[in-house]
Amino acid sequence: MHIQFDATLYDSFTAGSESCQVSFQGGNEIHIRTSEDVIFAPLTEIKISGRLGNTPRFITLPNGSKLETRDTESVDLLIRQQSGKFDWIHFLESNKIWILALTVLVMLSGFATYKWIIPWSAEAASPLVPDVVREKMATDTLALIDEWMVEPTTLDESRQQHYRDLFERRLGPFAPDQINIQFRKAPGIGANAFALPDGTLIFTDELLAIVNDEEYLAIAAHEVGHVVEDHGVRGVLASSFFAIIITLITGDAEAISELLIAAPVVMAELSYSRQNETEADNFARNMMRQAEIPLPAFATALMKITKAHRDEETKLEANGEKADSQVSSSWSEYLSTHPATQERIQAFKEPQ
């Protein structure tokens, strides 16, 4: 094969430069013809820079001198003669069909990683998290919630004990031993309940004001489902894995340190996914059957919670006030991450 191209030679000894012509006639050498001389360089001993668009290519000679050329096609042919291999990287980078195909592949891989691989990894890793870490996570989260989101409960001791005894008597035999029930007043959150990774269940005064005992037990069974399925820890692990992947892609190491510092915030603001809510609903359905609690109690509780949130927003709008951002945010997140309320209600209307 005959290869020939123009180049500029930068002499390593004189720091000067001159135009030259590079040629390859086969064999094991390239010929570099200047105005005064011909230089021979073994093909196996030269180093050729990689291709980057149409930027100049450099060929480093054994004595340290360099050749610069913009004839990238000829240099690619020279590389093929040197290595005996086809430059697949350049071929893929310059072929529009392959670029489109690889772009689609990367997008599909990213979607699969986010949709399935990260959740599966979090689920597989959550049992390995030590109890002391769960307790620390829950303690820090509750402290954050107490400081920014809730107030001390207004329920008297006898009322609190009533709900604890009710849970222990009806659901206790079917629940994990570590369940710890607490109460908070939450004007900014409204009627709600949530679970922490160590088994702490928190019920708001606003929720208990609108549900009866059976509906309270139904909501409690749902929250126990979050604890048993380890949704809190799985959520934090999934966020961590996602941050690690972003760090590997972008090289932003600060993302990891920021995540570790903000872990309690992530836990406090974590919205359970639709899949997690469905899992907790399924757990609650089985638990309620075992405890002989009517399934429609969960459906009516959902309807009351939905109505309470909507009534609060309607009331504020009627008074010409803007809904509290925390209330609006919590309610919009609830609607976006929880399965459709009517679907959940229907699921709990099936015969026991």
Side-chain angles (χ1 to χ4, degrees), residues 43-59:
L43 184 62
T44 56
E45 296 183 21
I46 63 176
K47 297 180 181 179
I48 306 175
S49 65
R51 181 167 182 167
L52 182 61
N54 292 318
T55 58
R57 305 287 291 277
F58 292 93
I59 301 174

Side-chain angles (χ1 to χ4, degrees), residues 105-115 118:
L105 179 61
V106 169
M107 293 176 65
L108 290 176
S109 299
F111 176 79
T113 298
Y114 175 78
K115 184 70 175 179
I118 289 179

Side-chain angles (χ1 to χ4, degrees), residues 135-249:
E135 293 171 3
K136 177 64 174 174
M137 188 183 302
T139 300
D140 290 350
T141 300
L142 187 55
L144 185 68
I145 291 173
D146 283 338
E147 182 177 358
W148 295 102
M149 301 173 66
V150 301
E151 303 170 6
T153 181
T154 57
L155 298 177
D156 58 38
E157 288 295 333
S158 63
R159 194 63 179 162
Q160 294 181 45
Q161 194 59 44
H162 165 75
Y163 288 117
R164 291 192 177 100
D165 291 344
L166 185 61
F167 179 94
E168 189 61 33
R169 186 172 65 255
R170 300 289 299 278
L171 297 180
F174 316 104
D177 294 336
Q178 78 268 26
I179 296 299
N180 171 32
I181 296 178
Q182 296 194 29
F183 309 94
R184 297 290 190 276
K185 180 178 176 59
I189 299 176
N192 219 323
F194 47 94
L196 299 182
D198 66 344
T200 298
L201 307 185
I202 300 177
F203 298 88
T204 68
D205 294 0
E206 292 78 6
L207 172 66
L208 298 176
I210 63 173
V211 297
N212 60 33
D213 285 354
E214 287 188 338
E215 292 163 350
Y216 154 74
L217 290 172
I219 296 297
H222 174 87
E223 297 305 325
V224 171
H226 283 309
V227 175
V228 172
E229 298 292 346
D230 218 7
H231 290 153
V233 173
R234 283 162 55 182
V236 172
L237 289 175
S239 298
S240 303
F241 294 156
F242 185 75
I244 290 172
I245 291 174
I246 293 299
T247 300
L248 293 176
I249 295 174

Side-chain angles (χ1 to χ4, degrees), residues 1 7 18 25 47 50 74 80 100 117 120 149 176 186 192 202 205 217 224 245 260 267 282 291 300 305 324-325 334:
M1 173 180 285
E18 59 179 318
Q25 307 291 339
K47 297 180 181 179
S74 295
R80 195 181 306 178
L100 178 61
I117 296 177
W120 177 85
M149 301 173 66
N192 219 323
I202 300 177
D205 294 0
L217 290 172
V224 171
I245 291 174
L260 294 176
M267 186 62 228
N282 293 336
T300 56
I305 292 172
D324 185 281
S325 59
Y334 180 90

Side-chain angles (χ1 to χ4, degrees), residues 32-47:
I32 305 160
R33 185 178 300 278
T34 66
S35 59
E36 299 179 354
D37 197 6
V38 177
I39 303 171
F40 301 92
L43 184 62
T44 56
E45 296 183 21
I46 63 176
K47 297 180 181 179

Side-chain angles (χ1 to χ4, degrees), residues 1-3 23-31 43 81:
M1 173 180 285
H2 176 70
I3 302 173
S23 62
F24 174 77
Q25 307 291 339
N28 298 317
E29 292 182 326
I30 62 171
H31 302 168
L43 184 62
Q81 294 299 314

Side-chain angles (χ1 to χ4, degrees), residues 235-306:
V236 172
L237 289 175
S239 298
S240 303
F241 294 156
F242 185 75
I244 290 172
I245 291 174
I246 293 299
T247 300
L248 293 176
I249 295 174
T250 64
D252 183 9
E254 291 184 4
I256 298 299
S257 59
E258 290 176 358
L259 177 68
L260 294 176
I261 294 173
V265 179
V266 172
M267 186 62 228
E269 297 183 349
L270 181 65
S271 295
Y272 292 124
S273 70
R274 287 174 173 259
Q275 179 181 350
N276 289 352
E277 289 301 317
T278 300
E279 289 179 0
D281 281 356
N282 293 336
F283 180 92
R285 188 181 298 107
N286 294 331
M287 192 180 198
M288 290 171 68
R289 287 190 176 118
Q290 289 178 299
E292 298 182 350
I293 300 171
L295 293 185
F298 187 78
T300 56
L302 283 180
M303 288 189 288
K304 287 181 178 180
I305 292 172
T306 302

